[in-house]
Amino acid sequence: MRRTGRPTMVDVAAEAGVSLKTVSRVINGEPHVDPGMAARVLDAVDRLGYHRNALAASLRSGDRDTIGFIAADLSNTFYMAIAAAVSAVASRERMHLVMASSEEDAVRERTLALDLCQRQIGGLIVVPTAVDHSYLSREVELGTPVVFLDRPGSGIPADAILLDNRGGARDAVAELLADGHRRIAVLLDAGGIFTMTERLAGAREAFAAAGLDLDPALVVEGLHTPAVARDAVDRLLDAQEPPTAVFCANNRITIGALEAVVSRGSTVAITGFDDFELSRLLPRRIRIVDYDITALGARAAETLLTRRADPATGSHTHLVPTCLVDRGGVG
Amino acid sequence: MRRTGRPTMVDVAAEAGVSLKTVSRVINGEPHVDPGMAARVLDAVDRLGYHRNALAASLRSGDRDTIGFIAADLSNTFYMAIAAAVSAVASRERMHLVMASSEEDAVRERTLALDLCQRQIGGLIVVPTAVDHSYLSREVELGTPVVFLDRPGSGIPADAILLDNRGGARDAVAELLADGHRRIAVLLDAGGIFTMTERLAGAREAFAAAGLDLDPALVVEGLHTPAVARDAVDRLLDAQEPPTAVFCANNRITIGALEAVVSRGSTVAITGFDDFELSRLLPRRIRIVDYDITALGARAAETLLTRRADPATGSHTHLVPTCLVDRGGVG
DNA sequence: TTGAAAGCGCTAACAG
DNA sequence: CTGTTAGCGCTTTCAA
């Protein structure tokens, strides 16, 4: 045995006085090995502190037992929750999860994705920031399945798991309209984001269905942080004709809106997309467009695994349903 | 070129009419390559859709560019936030992060850790559930650095990044005592957990420093969910001599206590360890033992990388400081 | 049932 | 500047 580095199967074989192949058989639990030999091998393994090199093992067979997950922004609890769900499925299937964040940067996303592919991963789950994903087409052709999560991708055949953004927003706004609200503000993050576009479209559909129009002055975009959303809501409520209700297109905006509304004691109705921790403990009642976030991540992972097992089927887009729920009002 | 599988450097070399080594040089951006040859190689790479196999590359050199992170429970936002911080450092250092959850199961932790080591990772960050980590001693000897996070490990030389649990709890309870409280309930999760033991010890220290004793009837352990904590608080407040203040040893307990206290309109003082999302929007004022959770994860990752670069130094335990802050009270 | 030999895709010496 | 020759640690034929 070489005195340097980790012991290898060759070292174990020498120590046990058997052939390399026998060691390999024992280590991998293959049948038809004489118990006596197996015992000697195991003994040598112990004595040497041998650990199998999984990388070398998969070099030949190309075993791909890790899943790559590229989130758009890991500092967002939404994506972290999804990562946890993906991790749970991966580990149930005895696979590993390698996780990275594109920071909403298309170039970074591409670099990360290609980098992971170079590591011969078994599949890739991406929350896309880039608009075109043909940079992955070669990998997909060669058998690495890709699943888009939360936002659709383009340029390659790949499954997508999305929320029913439009339906959820439509139902939420329809309810506000049914409650008699007419001046409903719609607060959004950057307009370019897929989910924002969809949720705005859903809100418009609700207005259209009621034969009404959404006042353009009440549509505010680009609210990327709670602080910015808070300021926007303050401004709206200070206006000549303030809204009687606000629809917040994501959880950060809802939080900002709440900060503004609660601190000024306003009674404006609030409905927000995305639930958040402790929403139940809020001092005032709000409505939330809720959904099963675990299902979102789990479904992505499961779809990936299915696709790995059976690449033949055509690619699908799956919509995760939403529902309106009550939150807060404990004060 | 073989018609099956992904193209290799040999294929590229054949296609470009150069040697394998030249291809390797071009792919790895080594200097001293004739621009003309380089162009031919790049051309062939393009034509074949060649992508480097990073696994094969690292087989020889033993490059270890991924960090393993084993959390105790990824469904807990505390660990998710830490994972995000670790991920940020990893990606800054151009390393990958593979993440898993032990689900507070020592056997699972061991399996995961050993599994990751088999994949030749460059280092391991563990939130330990197991009490003895000598199962990792061989890996540590062979040069895989291990860093314990949030809880200390044992049985191997490894750095640890911990919160100042004892100091934080002591300061919190000392403040309650200074405010005139004498009947202070201390609510804890399972007594076996390191952080709980430390926080309870801190609370006792504060009492001792004031020359007082903590009433054993007011120490409640085993509050693993908000619901259980809520019930416990309800019972305490219904008792003959209810506490005038409660110290909650983690965020889930704080939330449960808040549910009880807010819903019955009690004015009992609350101080909790760990901040949580939206604590600022709570309908009543509470005190929080806060700390920089990002620093916790980042420091673990940085320590791991330092150790990788310089294994010589002795192992250290680093305490992340805490501070008392005001939260809530917007209602 | 066991073993020898030939790779997997790449990098590291060492020559040209 | 370029190519040849060995491996990395393991799995996989194919014989024995």
Side-chain angles (χ1 to χ4, degrees):
Chain A
M1 159 181 185
R2 282 163 298 97
R3 278 259 129 273
T4 175
R6 320 169 94 87
T8 75
M9 276 195 184
V10 175
D11 300 320
V12 175
E15 175 83 13
V18 300
S19 86
L20 172 60
K21 179 62 205 178
T22 301
V23 176
S24 169
R25 287 205 179 92
V26 173
I27 296 295
N28 293 300
E30 283 173 34
H32 313 306
V33 182
D34 180 87
M37 291 214 127
R40 265 164 60 204
V41 170
L42 259 17
D43 211 60
V45 163
D46 241 49
R47 218 156 35 236
L48 263 38
Y50 169 80
H51 282 304
R52 177 172 189 274
N53 182 332
L55 254 45
S58 58
L59 175 57
R60 185 122 219 237
S61 55
D63 269 350
R64 297 157 187 301
D65 61 357
T66 121
I67 294 177
F69 175 57
I70 300 181
D73 173 15
L74 274 181
S75 68
N76 187 327
T77 52
F78 174 79
Y79 295 115
M80 288 300 315
I82 290 175
V86 172
S87 162
V89 173
S91 114
R92 197 180 69 210
E93 303 292 329
R94 322 218 71 237
M95 299 192 65
H96 292 284
L97 206 219
V98 20
M99 174 178 100
S101 172
S102 69
E103 309 296 328
E104 303 275 9
D105 174 341
V107 174
R108 210 174 134 65
E109 171 192 313
R110 182 196 154 110
T111 307
L112 286 169
L114 258 17
D115 220 58
L116 289 176
C117 287
Q118 288 201 150
R119 307 206 71 77
Q120 311 297 101
I121 54 170
L124 196 53
I125 297 175
V126 184
V127 178
T129 288
V131 272
D132 176 37
H133 299 83
S134 45
Y135 67 84
L136 280 172
S137 58
R138 191 62 221 240
E139 297 299 330
V140 173
E141 273 170 33
L142 291 172
T144 305
V146 174
V147 171
F148 292 114
L149 184 47
D150 189 46
R151 311 170 189 170
S154 72
I156 51 171
D159 298 299
I161 315 293
L162 310 175
L163 285 175
D164 182 13
N165 294 292
R166 196 179 286 233
R170 185 177 51 229
D171 293 351
V173 173
E175 186 188 60
L176 289 171
L177 288 168
D179 286 350
H181 293 286
R182 287 300 174 267
R183 293 194 59 72
I184 303 173
V186 177
L187 310 183
L188 307 143
D189 195 343
I193 301 175
F194 170 77
T195 51
M196 293 300 118
T197 311
E198 287 293 299
R199 292 171 194 179
L200 175 56
R204 285 198 198 288
E205 283 180 15
F207 268 90
L212 297 167
D213 273 323
L214 178 50
D215 180 351
L218 293 180
V219 176
V220 186
E221 292 192 345
L223 309 178
H224 190 55
T225 65
V228 173
R230 178 193 174 126
D231 292 347
V233 171
D234 267 330
R235 235 170 295 118
L236 283 171
L237 294 179
D238 284 334
Q240 293 261 320
E241 287 189 284
T244 61
V246 299
F247 172 62
C248 306
N250 73 24
N251 52 4
R252 287 190 305 271
I253 296 172
T254 307
I255 289 166
L258 277 165
E259 288 177 359
V261 166
V262 169
S263 74
R264 56 196 289 158
S266 159
T267 58
V268 63
I270 299 181
T271 301
F273 211 109
D274 306 324
D275 197 5
F276 43 83
E277 220 185 4
L278 283 203
S279 59
R280 287 172 178 78
L281 279 184
L282 286 173
R284 51 115 65 217
R285 175 181 173 281
I286 67 170
R287 293 284 277 174
I288 289 290
V289 180
D290 193 25
Y291 47 84
D292 185 347
I293 192 165
T294 300
L296 201 61
R299 179 140 236 144
E302 281 154 5
T303 303
L304 193 73
L305 297 172
T306 306
R307 188 64 64 195
R308 231 164 63 98
D310 173 23
T313 352
S315 60
H316 286 296
T317 292
H318 183 86
L319 282 196
V320 171
T322 64
C323 67
L324 272 166
V325 298
D326 247 330
R327 286 289 184 266
V330 291
Chain B
M1 157 180 185
R2 282 163 297 97
R3 276 260 130 273
T4 176
R6 320 170 92 87
T8 75
M9 274 195 183
V10 175
D11 300 320
V12 175
E15 175 82 13
V18 301
S19 86
L20 171 59
K21 180 63 204 180
T22 300
V23 176
S24 170
R25 287 208 179 89
V26 173
I27 296 295
N28 293 299
E30 283 172 34
H32 312 307
V33 182
D34 180 86
M37 293 215 124
R40 266 160 64 202
V41 169
L42 260 16
D43 211 59
V45 163
D46 240 49
R47 223 157 30 237
L48 263 37
Y50 168 81
H51 283 307
R52 174 173 191 273
N53 182 332
L55 255 44
S58 59
L59 176 57
R60 182 134 229 250
S61 56
D63 270 350
R64 299 159 187 303
D65 60 358
T66 120
I67 294 176
F69 175 58
I70 300 181
D73 172 15
L74 274 181
S75 67
N76 188 326
T77 53
F78 174 79
Y79 295 115
M80 301 259 28
I82 289 175
V86 173
S87 163
V89 174
S91 112
R92 196 181 67 210
E93 303 293 327
R94 322 218 72 237
M95 298 193 67
H96 292 285
L97 177 68
V98 21
M99 168 178 104
S101 171
S102 69
E103 309 295 328
E104 302 276 10
D105 174 342
V107 175
R108 210 174 134 65
E109 170 193 312
R110 182 195 154 111
T111 307
L112 286 170
L114 258 16
D115 220 58
L116 288 176
C117 287
Q118 289 204 355
R119 307 206 72 76
Q120 310 298 101
I121 53 169
L124 197 54
I125 297 175
V126 184
V127 178
T129 288
V131 272
D132 177 38
H133 298 84
S134 46
Y135 67 84
L136 279 173
S137 59
R138 194 63 223 257
E139 297 300 331
V140 173
E141 274 170 32
L142 290 172
T144 305
V146 174
V147 171
F148 291 114
L149 183 47
D150 189 45
R151 311 168 189 171
S154 73
I156 50 171
D159 298 300
I161 315 295
L162 310 175
L163 284 175
D164 182 12
N165 293 292
R166 193 179 287 236
R170 185 177 51 228
D171 293 351
V173 173
E175 185 189 61
L176 289 172
L177 288 168
D179 286 350
H181 293 285
R182 287 300 173 267
R183 294 193 58 70
I184 303 173
V186 176
L187 310 183
L188 306 143
D189 196 343
I193 300 176
F194 169 78
T195 49
M196 294 299 120
T197 311
E198 287 293 300
R199 291 170 196 180
L200 175 55
R204 285 197 198 288
E205 284 180 14
F207 268 90
L212 298 167
D213 272 321
L214 179 50
D215 181 350
L218 292 181
V219 176
V220 187
E221 292 192 346
L223 309 178
H224 190 56
T225 64
V228 173
R230 178 194 175 126
D231 291 347
V233 171
D234 266 329
R235 235 172 294 117
L236 283 172
L237 294 180
D238 285 334
Q240 294 260 321
E241 288 189 283
T244 61
V246 299
F247 172 62
C248 306
N250 73 24
N251 52 4
R252 288 190 304 273
I253 296 172
T254 307
I255 289 165
L258 277 165
E259 287 176 0
V261 166
V262 169
S263 73
R264 55 195 290 156
S266 159
T267 58
V268 63
I270 299 181
T271 301
F273 211 110
D274 305 324
D275 197 6
F276 43 83
E277 222 185 1
L278 281 203
S279 59
R280 288 174 178 77
L281 280 183
L282 286 172
R284 55 129 45 228
R285 176 179 172 281
I286 68 172
R287 292 285 277 176
I288 290 289
V289 180
D290 193 24
Y291 47 84
D292 185 347
I293 191 164
T294 300
L296 202 60
R299 180 139 235 146
E302 281 154 4
T303 303
L304 192 73
L305 297 172
T306 307
R307 190 61 66 192
R308 229 165 62 98
D310 173 24
T313 351
S315 60
H316 286 295
T317 294
H318 182 87
L319 283 196
V320 171
T322 64
C323 68
L324 273 166
V325 297
D326 248 330
R327 285 290 184 266
V330 290

